[in-house]
Amino acid sequence: MVNYFGLYVGNSTASIALFKEDGKVEILANEAGERVTAAVVTVNSDEKVVGSTAGATSYSLASCAVKYNKRLLDVTISDESMKTWISESLVKIDGETLNSLTYSVSVEDSKKPLSCSTTQIASLIFKKLYGIGVGGAPGQDSFSCVIAVPTHWDDKSRQIVADAATQAGWEVMQVINEPAAALLAYQIGFEKPPVDQIALVYRLGGVSCDATVVSIENGFQTIVSHVRDDSLGGKDIISVVTEHLCDEFKRKYYLDPRESRKAMWKLKIAAMGIIHTLSTISTSSRFIESVCDGVDFNPTISQARFEALLSPLIPKFTAPIHQALIEAGVEKNQISKVVLCGGVLKVPKMRSVVSSMFDCEICSGLNPDEVLACGAAQQAGLLAGHSDGLGITEASRELPLLETPVHVQVNDQEVVMGPGVMPISHFMNLSVEEPKVEISAKQEQPSDSFIGQGVIECSEAGDLEIHIRLTVDNELVAEAVNTETKELQKVTFALQPVC
């Protein structure tokens, strides 16, 4: 049995999904039983540990725990953004350009600091996911995957990620856009018969937020607008809750934790735990040992209080949605499905706010921080069964367009196919009194005319489901399924030019 994988490595977390031969997708847990692994690499003289909870939460390890590495893999970022992100890193970063950036970690046992490039850190995270994949598919020789990355990344950035995964042992089948992965996770665009629709993908992650309007016609996705804000994310919620804990501690004990970096670190870690807990229950308490001058703190925050703290941020978080709709020229009532992804959308208030903006289906059945890995795994399964030669990092390609409609006559009914991207499909129901379906097609163009015809021979009369498909090879394929016997018959003929 051969399994295929979908990978998502974000700034805060990483996840891996397995596509099985039966078509089902399963999220794989790490050795600690966690379905989502922290995208943190703790570097010391002995080893480099990926996903360590200690590395993510320990104050003493903060200077050697690399976080938010993904944003430095994007070669399209501005110098200003790069300098801002470097200044925010608790691990020293050397280098003047993106290509030369290296993390410099001082270790006690060595006079010379340890150095790791951004690509090496990414490869270590992919290696961690590779180990999880090996555990989830024992006995498999090769491990093929699809990786989901931000929409705005260019081919060079995508190649960097693909190379990092390859160094970790993965065979990269394709690198796809995150919005495409989100839609694939919920099988949007795979409806039968095909449904033309407009979907919105909203992602709210740890350090960034984006909204994408996608048009789906005949199963093909077209990004109509994409709005991204790299200054918004879950970090803002953590900051608000941390400030609230500071104020509460100062009010109760007349000590200001803002005067101590270590105290602020402890309160920040407590804030993260409180937010996580409030995603599932209505009240959260945290015991924080020795915040200031040996004073312990045991704060409790209710869901109502948390939502009050969150309220000032909501207009900022929803701004990309409004802007994406404006740029797409789309009204809210034209959106047929909204897909939510990103760990912050586990917060009930955020899901509620986004849901209240639209009168349509809100796709939130999957864990928000597992959606992109699931979608990437779905794409891996599709590529395994239908390889179309699309390059690994190729984000888009020119597709054949049918500009002049084709008129198809099915017995006494007429169907107009196109204009649109080929192949084009059409479904219809038909009752026949004779066991056959006569089909003819005609296309009038300014310089030429094309015609074709064929007959589907059925074993008996009755109710039929007709599926007509116009291929890129200028062929018309028609299938008829008897609704009672489920018998399938089909005919294929070419549209020939009229001499």
Side-chain angles (χ1 to χ4, degrees), residues 145-175:
C145 71
V146 168
I147 306 172
V149 300
T151 301
H152 70 281
W153 277 22
D154 63 7
D155 286 349
K156 187 175 180 180
S157 301
R158 294 166 191 265
Q159 191 62 55
I160 290 172
V161 169
D163 290 344
T166 301
Q167 291 170 15
W170 289 103
E171 294 181 10
V172 181
M173 303 169 73
Q174 193 178 19
V175 179

Side-chain angles (χ1 to χ4, degrees), residues 65 78 83 140 174 215 219 250 266 332 351 387 420 490:
S78 64
K83 291 176 182 178
Q140 187 164 313
Q174 193 178 19
S215 173
K250 185 177 181 180
K266 289 183 177 181
K332 291 180 182 178
R351 290 201 303 270
S387 178
K490 75 174 184 178

Side-chain angles (χ1 to χ4, degrees), residues 42-49 64 105 107-110 114:
T42 306
V43 181
N44 57 49
S45 57
D46 298 323
E47 59 182 344
K48 300 177 179 68
V49 182
C64 59
V105 181
V107 292
E108 295 181 356
D109 301 335
S110 175
L114 298 177

Side-chain angles (χ1 to χ4, degrees), residues 43-46 48 63-64 91-94 102-117 120:
V43 181
N44 57 49
S45 57
D46 298 323
K48 300 177 179 68
S63 61
C64 59
V91 179
K92 183 182 178 184
I93 301 178
D94 297 324
T102 57
Y103 296 96
S104 180
V105 181
S106 299
V107 292
E108 295 181 356
D109 301 335
S110 175
K111 295 181 179 179
K112 185 178 180 180
L114 298 177
S115 296
C116 290
S117 68
Q120 287 174 326

Side-chain angles (χ1 to χ4, degrees), residues 8-39:
Y8 172 69
V9 176
N11 281 297
S12 306
T13 62
S15 51
I16 175 173
L18 171 69
F19 183 90
K20 299 181 178 180
E21 285 191 339
D22 60 4
K24 295 181 179 179
V25 170
E26 175 189 351
I27 289 289
L28 300 181
N30 58 27
E31 69 277 4
E34 300 165 336
R35 292 162 65 90
V36 175
T37 301

Side-chain angles (χ1 to χ4, degrees), residues 68-69 71-75 77-79 81-83 85-87 89 92-104 115-121:
Y68 311 137
N69 180 68
R71 58 189 180 182
L72 294 176
L73 300 176
D74 177 14
V75 300
I77 63 172
S78 64
D79 290 339
S81 295
M82 183 186 73
K83 291 176 182 178
W85 294 340
I86 289 175
S87 66
S89 174
K92 183 182 178 184
I93 301 178
D94 297 324
E96 297 294 329
T97 63
L98 277 173
N99 293 333
S100 63
L101 293 183
T102 57
Y103 296 96
S104 180
S115 296
C116 290
S117 68
T118 54
T119 304
Q120 287 174 326
I121 293 296

Side-chain angles (χ1 to χ4, degrees), residues 268-317:
K268 179 181 177 181
I269 298 304
M272 294 167 61
I274 288 171
I275 295 168
H276 180 75
T277 303
L278 289 173
S279 297
T280 54
I281 61 177
S282 59
T283 304
S284 178
S285 298
R286 276 291 185 279
F287 177 76
I288 313 169
E289 184 179 2
S290 186
V291 177
C292 282
D293 295 343
V295 178
D296 299 334
F297 188 34
N298 189 20
T300 298
I301 296 182
S302 66
Q303 187 71 242
R305 182 58 179 160
F306 174 60
E307 291 180 1
L309 295 171
L310 184 60
S311 292
L313 294 174
I314 288 176
K316 297 179 181 179
F317 287 146

